[in-house]
């Protein structure tokens, strides 16, 4: 809900949950929501060859707390192994530099951070505060191929920011603006946006970012709650608020046929993918926008 503050303006933080989570490219650090939903908590992740696993030590170890947002943090994504972006309902996108453990003491001496009550460095000064939106930011994702940071606002705008200059390079306004919830990127040039009844695809392979919006099958209007690319960006999995999964063939520009459920040996219903889904995922030659909406 967006009515989360009382008459005094203070935020109700109880039981609001974690709204975002992201691993850095080398899979050594994880960023997610903090105990205060306005903050970003960063954890060090034990590697596959780390002796800590064999020694029974914690897989995740708190390494930093990023403090500065004035409202709930709804999106976080890593730009590099040590630089990440966070988006908040306070309308801002903030870019943070998170030092390695060995550098933490230097940062503390430099005055950019201080130790919290649990001994974890608290970083309170971001590298940049990007004000590309006039309303609440719902999600952020770094589009590595285009070298742009995409941020989604509840007013239906997607802003693309150059993380080197911290300037907005382009803004796209979507037609479908109800229940804008999430972003996903294929890791190269494409961005997907989920709303109440549509998935929008934005492609950086054109001179200007173009948008193509696809209505969910079967008149589904329960809202898109999750998006994930697979197959090198050829297949987009759409998680609906009503518990349904949809699969979108990016090259063909259309949703795949409905998947039938079949009873597994344990009596539960499992989804059996249609062979046509695999065939479609093998074709990576088409553009996101080759097929009309």
């Amino acid at each position: 809900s967006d009515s989360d503050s009382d008459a005094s303006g203070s935020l109700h933080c109880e039981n609001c949950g974690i709204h975002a989570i992201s691993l850095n490219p080398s899979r050594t650090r994880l960023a997610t929501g903090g105990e205060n939903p306005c903050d970003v908590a960063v954890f060090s992740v034990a590697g596959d060859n780390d002796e800590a696993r064999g020694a029974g030590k914690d897989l995740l170890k708190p390494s930093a707390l990023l403090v500065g947002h004035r409202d709930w943090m709804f999106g976080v994504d890593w730009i590099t192994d040590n630089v990440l972006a966070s988006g908040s309902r306070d309308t801002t996108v903030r870019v943070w530099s998170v030092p390695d453990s060995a550098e933490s003491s230097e940062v503390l001496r430099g005055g950019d951070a201080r130790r919290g009550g649990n001994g974890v460095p608290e970083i309170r000064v971001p590298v940049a505060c990007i004000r590309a939106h006039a309303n609440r930011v719902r999600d952020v994702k770094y589009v590595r191929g285009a070298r742009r940071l995409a941020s989604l606002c509840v007013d239906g705008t997607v802003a693309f920011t150059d993380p080197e200059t911290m300037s907005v390079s382009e803004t796209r306004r979507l037609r479908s603006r109800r229940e804008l919830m999430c972003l996903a990127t294929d890791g190269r040039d494409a961005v997907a946006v989920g709303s109440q009844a549509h998935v929008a695809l934005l492609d950086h392979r054109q001179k200007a970012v173009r948008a193509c919006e696809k209505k969910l099958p079967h008149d589904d209007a329960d809202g898109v709650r999750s998006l994930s690319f697979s197959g090198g960006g050829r297949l987009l999995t759409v998680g609906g608020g009503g518990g349904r999964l949809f699969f979108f063939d990016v090259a063909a520009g259309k949703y795949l046929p409905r998947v039938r459920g079949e009873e597994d040996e344990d009596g539960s219903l499992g989804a059996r993918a249609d062979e046509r889904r695999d065939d479609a995922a093998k074709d990576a030659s088409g553009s996101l926008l080759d097929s009309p909406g």
Side-chain angles (χ1 to χ4, degrees), residues 131-147:
R131 302 184 183 276
H133 300 286
N135 211 320
R136 300 179 298 278
V137 175
R138 294 295 307 194
D139 205 357
V140 292
K141 286 291 184 291
Y142 182 55
V143 190
R144 300 195 178 279
R147 296 183 179 179

Side-chain angles (χ1 to χ4, degrees), residues 211-230:
C212 176
E213 298 186 39
K214 299 288 186 178
K215 186 173 174 56
L216 294 177
H218 322 305
D219 294 322
D220 190 287
D222 290 324
V224 177
R225 296 296 183 261
S226 66
L227 293 165
S228 178
F229 282 96
S230 60

Side-chain angles (χ1 to χ4, degrees), residues 86-100:
S86 59
S88 166
R89 297 194 320 179
D90 65 9
T91 76
T92 68
V93 173
R94 302 188 182 220
V95 178
W96 309 84
S97 177
V98 185
D100 293 324

Side-chain angles (χ1 to χ4, degrees), residues 37 48 53 93 128 143 150 206 216 242 252 265 287 289:
D48 292 336
R53 291 193 177 192
V93 173
V143 190
Q206 314 295 329
L216 294 177
E265 291 181 357
S287 167
L289 308 174

